[in-house]
Amino acid sequence: MTYRSKLFGTLAALGMVAGMPATSAAQELTVAYFLEWPMPFQYAKEKGLYDEALGVPINWVSFDTGTAMSAAMASGDVQIAVSQGVPPFVVAASAGQDLILTDIAVSYSENDNCVVAETLEIDKNNAKELEGKQVGVPIGTAAHYGFLSQMKHFDVDISTMEIVDMAPADGAAAFAQGSLDMVCGWGGALRRMLEHGNVLLTGAEKEELGILVFDGISVPADFAAEESEMLTKFLKVTAEANAMWNSGENKAEMIEVIAKDAGMDVDATEATLATFTFPNVEDKLSDKWMGGNVQTFMLGVADVFQGAGSIPQALDSYVDTVDSSYLAATGTE
């Protein structure tokens, strides 16, 4: 059976996930995602597979940052955030927001970074010269964590820097105009930043230092408890879309749909997806990810943020903020 037929066949199978009934109390669902951040789930999104599997209309709302996603979930406007960065999740959880990470959306060490203006001629050999410079950073995001970790590695005193909170798209525009010395972001914004500067560390170099970059699928804890069937179905469709992409089958068809939904051309979509990996469910349930490492990594992120004064206090543990049971219930390999 091809992954395409498996994906469409999932719709019939999802009527009874883990013995659950095929109806849900919720009348609709609002899901947050990013534009210029192409992922396989968007194929299922545009084909209406989520709506069919869940049995309710889904409102897809695009956001600029993961911190905005947290705020929308706190207000009750959003029930699921796809590809929320770990740092904004940790910031919200540390502040007492009752969120849980239910899945690993994507790993992308090459697609989230900081860029130094080419006119400065600063690289990893003279990074200390960044002291006193102005940098645009989307505060509380994966890019922010990466910035703090890289500055710590290079022993750059961030108290000397002027740090401006800017969404990646805004930072890229200001950087192009020469208004910033350094800027951090991801996706399409990062590609535009790289037209005017250079990175200090590659994705592989960041990973060697333990600077991981991955996003999760996060939800309010009360939504997960009240709508476990709906959440499991959502993760099931997502897993099938990832498997279809990873198989290489129907990639040409998928990328056309994904590119259109992401607001990108096909070439840019292919370039971005080449820097992404989508672990399978078995891997995500293992110790490498949700079986223990994610929780440990979150504590490390929180400690960095606390040390930088970005959050007042880290939690003692982030074990309770990760719940893999809904992903395990999909029965997907």
Side-chain angles (χ1 to χ4, degrees):
M1 179 183 292
T2 68
Y3 279 103
R4 178 183 173 81
S5 60
K6 282 179 66 180
L7 180 60
F8 281 80
T10 295
L11 299 176
L14 282 175
M16 293 292 286
V17 175
M20 300 174 187
T23 59
S24 171
Q27 299 303 305
E28 64 178 10
L29 184 69
T30 300
V31 180
Y33 73 109
F34 292 119
L35 291 176
E36 294 192 322
W37 197 243
M39 297 175 67
F41 83 87
Q42 290 171 285
Y43 178 79
K45 167 184 177 293
E46 288 302 290
K47 292 296 183 180
L49 302 186
Y50 287 102
D51 305 75
E52 293 180 54
L54 276 62
V56 298
I58 300 178
N59 304 313
W60 297 87
V61 182
S62 64
F63 284 75
D64 288 329
T65 67
T67 51
M69 288 178 172
S70 294
M73 286 189 283
S75 68
D77 293 331
V78 164
Q79 289 76 53
I80 299 177
V82 176
S83 213
Q84 183 181 35
V86 171
F89 176 90
V90 168
V91 169
S94 300
Q97 188 172 343
D98 198 9
L99 296 178
I100 57 172
L101 189 88
T102 63
D103 198 352
I104 304 300
V106 59
S107 177
Y108 55 100
S109 60
E110 289 289 358
N111 209 329
D112 186 298
N113 216 329
C114 295
V115 181
V116 181
E118 59 189 357
T119 55
L120 296 179
E121 297 184 346
I122 294 176
D123 58 23
K124 61 184 177 183
N125 297 310
N126 60 339
K128 282 284 284 183
E129 293 180 20
L130 286 168
E131 291 183 347
K133 299 297 190 290
Q134 186 179 50
V135 55
V137 183
I139 301 299
T141 66
H144 183 204
Y145 172 71
F147 163 71
L148 292 175
S149 298
Q150 290 190 60
M151 294 305 96
K152 182 177 180 180
H153 171 70
F154 289 115
D155 194 29
V156 174
D157 183 358
I158 63 172
S159 69
T160 67
M161 307 176 79
E162 181 181 352
I163 301 174
V164 183
D165 185 7
M166 302 185 76
D170 296 332
F175 194 57
Q177 296 168 1
S179 302
L180 297 168
D181 299 309
M182 184 180 188
V183 66
C184 306
W186 55 80
L190 176 60
R191 288 195 303 277
R192 293 190 291 275
M193 294 169 188
L194 288 168
E195 294 174 3
H196 306 282
N198 58 276
V199 299
L200 298 174
L201 296 172
T202 66
E205 288 172 331
K206 288 188 298 177
E207 288 182 352
E208 288 178 6
L209 297 175
I211 305 174
L212 302 179
V213 187
F214 65 93
D215 289 354
I217 296 179
S218 54
V219 305
D222 57 354
F223 168 77
E226 295 166 8
E227 299 291 348
S228 60
E229 172 194 2
M230 179 177 285
L231 177 57
T232 297
K233 288 179 177 181
F234 185 91
L235 299 181
K236 176 82 168 179
V237 175
T238 304
E240 293 286 359
N242 286 342
M244 181 177 173
W245 175 261
N246 288 338
S247 75
E249 299 175 16
N250 301 295
K251 200 168 253 189
E253 176 191 351
M254 290 186 77
I255 203 161
E256 291 280 353
V257 175
I258 293 169
K260 182 177 179 180
D261 188 64
M264 303 165 66
D265 62 44
V266 171
D267 289 342
T269 301
E270 286 183 324
T272 298
L273 281 166
T275 68
F276 287 174
T277 58
F278 303 97
N280 63 35
V281 172
E282 182 180 0
D283 285 344
K284 289 188 282 192
L285 294 174
S286 72
D287 291 344
K288 178 181 178 180
W289 291 103
M290 298 175 75
N293 195 42
V294 166
Q295 296 87 326
T296 301
F297 180 73
M298 283 184 178
L299 184 58
V301 170
D303 287 342
V304 169
F305 276 168
Q306 182 178 333
S310 300
I311 59 174
Q313 183 67 46
L315 300 179
D316 292 334
S317 170
Y318 288 82
V319 169
D320 292 339
T321 69
V322 178
D323 190 337
S324 61
S325 65
Y326 305 98
L327 183 62
T330 67
T332 309
E333 296 180 356

